[in-house]
Amino acid sequence: MKKTAILVVEDDKAILTGLCDLLGCEGYEVFSAEDGIKGLEAYRNNRPDLILLDIMMPGKSGYDVLREIRKTDTQLPVLLLTAKGQEIDKVVGLELGADDYIVKPFGIKELLARIKAALRRSRPADAGKKETHIRFDDVVIDLKNYTCEKKGKKIQLSQKEIQLIDYLCNHKDEVIDRNTLLEEIWGVRYEGTTRTLDQHIAQLRKKIEDDPAHPKHLVTVHAVGYKFTVSPD
Amino acid sequence: MKKTAILVVEDDKAILTGLCDLLGCEGYEVFSAEDGIKGLEAYRNNRPDLILLDIMMPGKSGYDVLREIRKTDTQLPVLLLTAKGQEIDKVVGLELGADDYIVKPFGIKELLARIKAALRRSRPADAGKKETHIRFDDVVIDLKNYTCEKKGKKIQLSQKEIQLIDYLCNHKDEVIDRNTLLEEIWGVRYEGTTRTLDQHIAQLRKKIEDDPAHPKHLVTVHAVGYKFTVSPD
DNA sequence: CGGCCGTTTTCAACACCTTGAAAACGGGGA
DNA sequence: TCCCCGTTTTCAAGGTGTTGAAAACGGCCG
């Protein structure tokens, strides 16, 4: 899946690199610019999914940048950054269509939450592309509802289970090695044992295989990993 | 099709022009007025499909205008605008029949979404009418009257409870994560604990579930959120 | 004041995730 | 074929974070 891209426009280099590092660690693709002019340029070149925009910058202010952007793109989520005490001009912000504003200094969690919220609000527009169901045999997995149905019985799936089956189904008939799976689902920095993965595979098999001891779909590939397949071997 | 007409009544000229531009760009026909008196006049002359009405205005307040309008038109969607901090008088607003409140500063998307929602609600004639009741099992929820009936017994529902069940029912069988719910019902900038949400869910379950300890309709999805469903597991 | 509503806090219960140990399995070599 | 060794599965137990229930607080209004 393509990463969500965020453009950070901020003249204070310390803050800029801090933000970029943080967002990078969170799994976003990050572009940065140190002033308004470069910000616009970066926006045009990279077409990010969201912009973090400092208001007070030498040269072109955040307001100017936002105004430019809104001439052609009224949908893009833009979060304004403003220093504490520096009264944000809410009227201007509103007029220009900022989606939210964040007062420095801000907590990391708050920032991330607001970014997520803004992104979530901007999604429903282009949502609907993504497959929400997986079907095979007599099984229907509803990715949105965290449920699966088998022989007419509804079974709840947990977060990890959904992520796992989702990933494997999107790589149908490919063997995925354990490290890749751990990385994709648990995250790059995960330091757990492979037992965890096996356990979840076992859980999934119990829920969706006719005979969990002889899985037809969630197949073990000895010494490598697992693969999902719909056709029997 | 004739354009939808919106009347904006707002004494702050910057906001007024900002709103008019925005709504114009969105394809609405826009009328504007800078105070309550002119607002009523514009309403009578132009008969808009929806009104955005600032509450705090010199001379005739938004409440006064709304009261006047409601004497002759109980259907017209009216959205009240209020500045943050400025305590909104919900009871007065409700009595007068406001359709929604929007707290400044607000995001463009939020505003547009609420306008669309209000318009949708106001068009029972040509679109599939807005449901005023929700039914399932032996429960009937009356969204307009803030009551629900179960086994013939009428139970009062609070504002938040109605909003919650309304939102969830409109997203039947979808899992809504806690942040989304908090945002949709409490507002974008709500900073409360997530326990608050649970509490209201619990209240609702007590009122509409046969066995609140084992909910059939208001289902928890661990680590994600809640969903409303009518079909048994 | 007394009731209702929304919120917050606390604590207990629960589901999920993780881990270890042991058993079962599979592949390769003798 | 059988055995051996590394891999995978199972089982059971513990830890962690999430959710539920109860109680209490404050605001608002009658």
Side-chain angles (χ1 to χ4, degrees):
Chain A
M1 193 180 85
K2 201 178 145 292
K3 278 192 198 173
T4 302
I6 296 182
L7 169 60
V8 185
V9 187
E10 162 69 62
D11 63 315
D12 183 318
K13 287 198 185 114
I15 299 185
L16 182 61
T17 57
L19 282 173
C20 291
D21 287 355
L22 170 67
L23 295 173
C25 286
E26 288 294 316
Y28 296 106
E29 185 175 8
V30 186
F31 303 105
S32 67
E34 291 175 23
D35 61 51
I37 311 273
K38 286 182 187 144
L40 268 174
E41 210 172 287
Y43 158 69
R44 295 202 174 101
N45 292 336
N46 302 306
R47 295 290 153 172
D49 299 295
L50 179 146
I51 299 185
L52 284 183
L53 187 56
D54 189 26
I55 294 179
M56 294 302 279
M57 290 184 297
K60 240 182 167 59
S61 81
Y63 291 132
D64 298 331
V65 176
L66 179 53
R67 203 180 336 256
E68 281 295 319
I69 291 172
R70 283 288 181 250
K71 281 185 188 166
T72 56
D73 189 340
T74 59
Q75 298 299 309
L76 184 70
V78 175
L79 307 193
L80 296 180
L81 301 178
T82 175
K84 184 169 182 167
Q86 179 182 320
E87 239 338 280
I88 191 166
D89 191 334
K90 289 168 188 175
V91 173
V92 176
L94 160 66
E95 227 178 295
L96 296 176
D99 292 81
D100 204 349
Y101 54 88
I102 299 167
V103 177
K104 294 186 272 192
F106 42 78
I108 286 188
K109 292 193 102 167
E110 188 197 357
L111 175 68
L112 293 177
R114 289 192 190 285
I115 287 175
K116 266 198 219 153
L119 286 171
R120 183 175 50 232
R121 269 174 271 145
S122 77
R123 293 277 192 229
D126 58 5
K129 289 185 211 166
K130 207 185 163 195
E131 222 33 79
T132 59
H133 295 265
I134 297 167
R135 294 158 207 278
F136 52 89
D137 284 11
D138 56 351
V139 178
V140 181
I141 294 173
D142 186 330
L143 297 175
K144 264 197 154 147
N145 286 346
Y146 294 77
T147 58
C148 87
E149 203 173 322
K150 185 175 172 64
K151 301 184 200 301
K153 261 199 307 193
K154 271 222 170 88
I155 306 169
Q156 287 278 345
L157 295 183
S158 76
Q159 181 108 294
K160 283 273 188 295
E161 285 161 1
I162 282 282
Q163 287 176 279
L164 243 187
I165 193 76
D166 192 10
Y167 186 87
L168 288 170
C169 287
N170 284 322
H171 298 77
K172 190 156 64 109
D173 294 324
E174 265 175 77
V175 180
I176 316 291
D177 73 76
R178 307 172 112 74
N179 285 331
T180 303
L181 276 174
L182 282 170
E183 214 169 272
E184 289 287 340
I185 290 163
W186 275 263
V188 187
R189 304 188 166 268
Y190 183 70
E191 303 275 341
T193 78
T194 169
R195 313 242 28 60
T196 301
L197 172 56
D198 303 339
Q199 194 57 248
H200 286 278
I201 292 284
Q203 290 298 336
L204 268 177
R205 293 214 257 238
K206 274 189 206 156
K207 293 186 177 176
I208 68 177
E209 294 280 1
D210 283 327
D211 177 5
H214 304 95
K216 285 194 332 227
H217 304 293
L218 287 167
V219 183
T220 301
V221 180
H222 196 91
V224 186
Y226 297 97
K227 76 171 169 181
F228 177 84
T229 179
V230 285
S231 53
D233 289 339
Chain B
M1 193 177 94
K2 200 178 147 292
K3 273 194 196 174
T4 301
I6 296 182
L7 168 62
V8 185
V9 187
E10 162 70 62
D11 62 316
D12 182 320
K13 285 196 186 119
I15 298 185
L16 183 60
T17 57
L19 284 173
C20 290
D21 287 354
L22 169 67
L23 295 173
C25 287
E26 288 292 317
Y28 296 107
E29 185 176 8
V30 186
F31 302 105
S32 67
E34 291 176 23
D35 61 50
I37 310 275
K38 286 182 186 145
L40 269 175
E41 210 172 287
Y43 158 69
R44 295 199 174 102
N45 293 336
N46 301 306
R47 294 291 155 173
D49 299 295
L50 179 146
I51 299 186
L52 285 183
L53 186 57
D54 190 24
I55 293 180
M56 293 302 279
M57 289 184 299
K60 239 181 169 60
S61 81
Y63 290 132
D64 298 331
V65 175
L66 180 52
R67 203 180 338 254
E68 281 295 318
I69 291 173
R70 283 288 180 251
K71 281 185 188 168
T72 56
D73 189 340
T74 58
Q75 296 301 309
L76 184 70
V78 176
L79 307 195
L80 296 180
L81 303 178
T82 175
K84 185 170 182 167
Q86 179 182 320
E87 244 334 286
I88 193 163
D89 190 333
K90 290 177 184 172
V91 173
V92 174
L94 269 180
E95 260 174 54
L96 295 175
D99 293 81
D100 205 349
Y101 303 89
I102 299 169
V103 177
K104 297 185 271 190
F106 41 77
I108 283 201
K109 294 209 186 86
E110 186 194 359
L111 176 67
L112 292 176
R114 285 176 195 263
I115 288 175
K116 268 195 216 152
L119 286 169
R120 186 170 356 102
R121 267 176 270 148
S122 76
R123 284 202 182 129
D126 37 26
K129 345 184 145 115
K130 157 73 183 177
E131 282 309 327
T132 59
H133 296 264
I134 296 166
R135 293 158 209 277
F136 52 91
D137 284 10
D138 56 352
V139 177
V140 181
I141 294 173
D142 185 331
L143 296 174
K144 279 228 156 70
N145 290 337
Y146 292 75
T147 57
C148 89
E149 205 174 318
K150 184 175 173 62
K151 299 185 200 301
K153 263 198 305 193
K154 270 228 168 81
I155 307 169
Q156 285 284 337
L157 295 183
S158 75
Q159 174 104 309
K160 281 276 187 291
E161 285 162 1
I162 283 283
Q163 285 176 278
L164 245 186
I165 193 75
D166 192 10
Y167 187 87
L168 288 170
C169 287
N170 284 322
H171 298 77
K172 190 157 66 107
D173 292 324
E174 256 178 86
V175 179
I176 316 292
D177 72 75
R178 307 171 99 79
N179 283 332
T180 302
L181 276 174
L182 283 169
E183 210 173 277
E184 290 285 340
I185 290 164
W186 276 264
V188 184
R189 297 209 136 239
Y190 181 70
E191 303 275 346
T193 79
T194 169
R195 305 250 53 73
T196 300
L197 173 56
D198 303 341
Q199 192 56 249
H200 287 277
I201 291 283
Q203 291 297 335
L204 268 176
R205 292 214 259 237
K206 273 188 204 158
K207 294 184 177 177
I208 68 177
E209 293 280 0
D210 282 326
D211 177 5
H214 304 95
K216 284 196 331 230
H217 304 293
L218 288 167
V219 183
T220 300
V221 179
H222 194 93
V224 185
Y226 296 97
K227 75 174 167 180
F228 177 84
T229 180
V230 285
S231 55
D233 288 340

